[in-house]
Amino acid sequence: SNEVQEVSSGFNCKAFVWLGVASILTIFDSGSSRNSISETFFKALLKEPTMIPLIKDVVRIQPMECKTVDGSRTICVDRVVELEVTFKDDNKNSVTKVLSFLVVKNSTEDLMLGYPTLCSMGFVSDEHTIELRAEDLRFNTVIPDVVPDAKEDHFLFFDEP
């Protein structure tokens, strides 16, 4: 068919996690093979005295070269940070875990949870809720007031080539 159709807007699965008392809007990214933290956000955490105890370790790793989803840009990652992250439900139940995050330069998102972490926690979601079944937690997603136009959608991809 030669008919041109509009594509409806999309959105990511986002919710809050906590680093200490700070709530952080985080992408729960079932398409990502790793957890990641933006280098800028990580540097900001290092400057905040209340965040230092939550940073359990910073490890140099064998450099990994990863490509953006369109293949136009290569990202080199050479550090992993281990952070104490807390997940909370609406009934004041919580689970705290130490998770490893690749430190990514120029990331569009402060914090992303990848598929292996999500699987280990029993992640299930729909548009409005996230369940971490292995942790017996259920909480709301964060949906933007106005879903962005499709031409502004972000495609986030982080995987080795």
Side-chain angles (χ1 to χ4, degrees):
S1 167
N2 291 334
E3 183 180 330
V4 177
Q5 295 181 0
E6 286 191 31
V7 176
S8 61
S9 297
F11 53 91
N12 293 321
C13 183
K14 292 184 180 183
F16 287 102
V17 300
W18 280 258
L19 300 179
V21 297
S23 60
I24 311 299
L25 187 58
T26 301
I27 290 189
F28 289 63
D29 188 357
S30 63
S32 179
S33 63
R34 303 277 196 287
N35 299 334
S36 66
I37 185 171
S38 79
E39 184 178 57
T40 303
F41 183 64
F42 176 56
K43 286 179 178 179
L45 292 179
L46 289 171
K47 292 178 183 176
E48 177 55 48
T50 61
M51 293 294 134
I52 298 300
L54 305 174
I55 300 170
K56 299 305 181 186
D57 203 0
V58 180
V59 179
R60 290 263 174 218
I61 60 170
Q62 185 71 30
M64 296 170 41
E65 287 196 358
C66 308
K67 293 191 181 284
T68 55
V69 71
D70 64 358
S72 67
R73 200 167 58 105
T74 299
I75 300 166
C76 184
V77 176
D78 62 2
R79 286 175 294 163
V80 170
V81 60
E82 292 181 359
L83 289 175
E84 188 175 286
V85 179
T86 300
F87 301 83
K88 299 179 181 181
D89 69 13
D90 300 331
N91 296 321
K92 302 191 182 195
N93 299 313
S94 66
V95 171
T96 300
K97 294 189 168 284
V98 175
L99 300 175
S100 296
F101 294 84
L102 297 176
V103 180
V104 179
K105 293 179 183 175
N106 303 316
S107 177
T108 58
E109 304 297 330
D110 290 339
L111 209 57
M112 288 180 21
L113 297 172
Y115 193 59
T117 295
L118 299 177
C119 284
S120 73
M121 298 181 81
F123 171 80
V124 177
S125 73
D126 61 27
E127 184 178 352
H128 301 285
T129 58
I130 291 174
E131 287 184 62
L132 301 177
R133 291 180 174 173
E135 310 303 335
D136 198 27
L137 296 176
R138 182 183 172 111
F139 46 92
N140 292 329
T141 60
V142 176
I143 299 174
D145 291 335
V146 178
V147 177
D149 290 337
K151 59 184 165 260
E152 295 180 20
D153 284 349
H154 292 281
F155 292 94
L156 304 173
F157 177 78
F158 198 82
D159 201 355
E160 294 99 337

